[in-house]
């Protein structure tokens, strides 16, 4: 018998052993196993496609030391955090798991657990999963409302209510925040952020849809892609955007905006505003006469003037037109040259300066 024939026989025997082990009934958990059998058991589990399912909920109480100031949660797909008048953390982990049969799926669900580590002023909470099967966990935490919360790499559905401060580290998905008394800060991308009430905001976002009902104090927002809709900003607004659709219904504080390739509708302006746009459509509604400086190009710049109070207009359009309402034509006469239109004048006796500049676009004044 040659070497070739011998190798063929060995390969045939090994193949037969593997087929037998996969097709044979599962051995009892008691007793020793060789690593080869454990490997075959894993292969059998995959071939059975984990067709069974089970669900289990684990409740636990996590003590919180007096000096702990921050809760950190990482890599959880679905989480709800509620701030309450309490001294500990109540954790509820609901797990849906697959398995080779119902008993196996339930065992895997029970092995999915909340892991807690307290270091100094921080308590870290994670969910650990078994390698077998597939688990889907929903974590609910009721925490002392004095704790700040930091979410790291959260990618699923997140709901937070009644907490103090929230920090986002590269989080995404569907995030809903209500009754945040302190600051919303950090980075968010690739999802939707919905906030009802926020004390202040210092946020960077990429490709996100952001909706905030109210920011009581200052806001500093750096956004790229997506959209921003805020009903009211009570303090100073600093805005940097690139390819973002922006709508601020009421800007009660000072405004500084640096915008590129997008659109902004800025309403309820009551303090000084400076808008520097590049290929950005700009619309500003003034509630009262305040200093305004606005620049853009390749898109129109529209300003709705307040009904009362004096102001001084200085507007220039290069390669476009200046459109003045009939009621202001005597105060604002438009001077035209070959490639430029300009108007300067006081309304109702003059007042704060409104300086507008557009290149290859129109300046539109409205009342």
């Amino acid at each position: 018998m040659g070497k070739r024939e011998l190798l063929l026989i060995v390969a045939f025997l090994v193949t037969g052993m593997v087929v037998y082990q996969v097709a044979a009934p599962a051995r009892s958990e008691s007793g020793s196993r060789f690593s080869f059998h454990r490997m075959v058991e894993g292969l059998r589990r995959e071939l059975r496609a984990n067709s069974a399912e089970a669900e289990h909920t684990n409740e636990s109480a996590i003590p919180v030391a007096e000096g702990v100031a921050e809760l950190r949660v990482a890599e959880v797909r679905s989480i709800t955090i509620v701030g309450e008048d309490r001294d500990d953390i109540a954790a509820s982990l609901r797990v849906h798991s697959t398995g080779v049969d119902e008993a196996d799926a339930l065992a895997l669900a029970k092995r999915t657990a909340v892991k807690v580590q307290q270091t100094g002023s921080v308590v870290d909470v994670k969910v650990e999963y078994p390698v077998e099967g597939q688990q889907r966990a929903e974590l609910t935490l009721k925490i002392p409302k004095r704790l700040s919360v930091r979410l790291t790499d959260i990618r699923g559905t997140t709901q937070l209510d009644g907490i103090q401060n929230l920090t986002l580290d590269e989080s995404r998905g569907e995030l809903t925040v209500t009754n945040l008394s302190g600051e919303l800060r950090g980075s968010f991308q690739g999802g939707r952020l919905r906030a009802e009430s926020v004390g202040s905001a210092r946020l960077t976002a990429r490709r996100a849809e952001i909706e905030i009902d109210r920011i009581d104090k200052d806001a500093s927002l750096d956004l790229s892609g997506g959209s921003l809709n805020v009903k009211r900003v009570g303090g100073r607004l600093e805005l940097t955007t690139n390819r973002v659709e922006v709508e601020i219904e009421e800007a009660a504080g000072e405004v500084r905006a640096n915008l590129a390739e997008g659109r902004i509708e800025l309403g309820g302006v009551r303090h000084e505003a400076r808008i520097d746009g590049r290929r950005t459509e700009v619309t500003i509604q003034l509630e009262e006469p305040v200093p305004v400086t606005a620049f853009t190009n390749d898109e129109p710049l529209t300003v709705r003037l307040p009904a009362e109070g004096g102001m001084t207009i200085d507007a220039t359009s290069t390669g476009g037109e200046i459109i003045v309402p009939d009621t202001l034509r005597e105060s604002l006469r438009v001077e035209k040259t070959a490639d430029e239109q300009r108007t300067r004048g006081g309304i109702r006796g003059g007042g704060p300066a409104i300086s507008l500049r557009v290149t290859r676009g129109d300046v539109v004044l409205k009342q």
Side-chain angles (χ1 to χ4, degrees), residues 164 169 274:
Q164 184 172 346
D169 289 337
R274 181 181 178 90

Side-chain angles (χ1 to χ4, degrees), residues 312-334:
T312 300
I313 305 295
D314 181 358
T316 301
S317 174
T318 303
E321 295 185 66
I322 294 180
I323 302 172
V324 177
D326 294 339
T327 55
L328 298 179
R329 288 190 182 275
E330 290 190 7
S331 302
L332 300 176
R333 297 188 178 183
V334 178

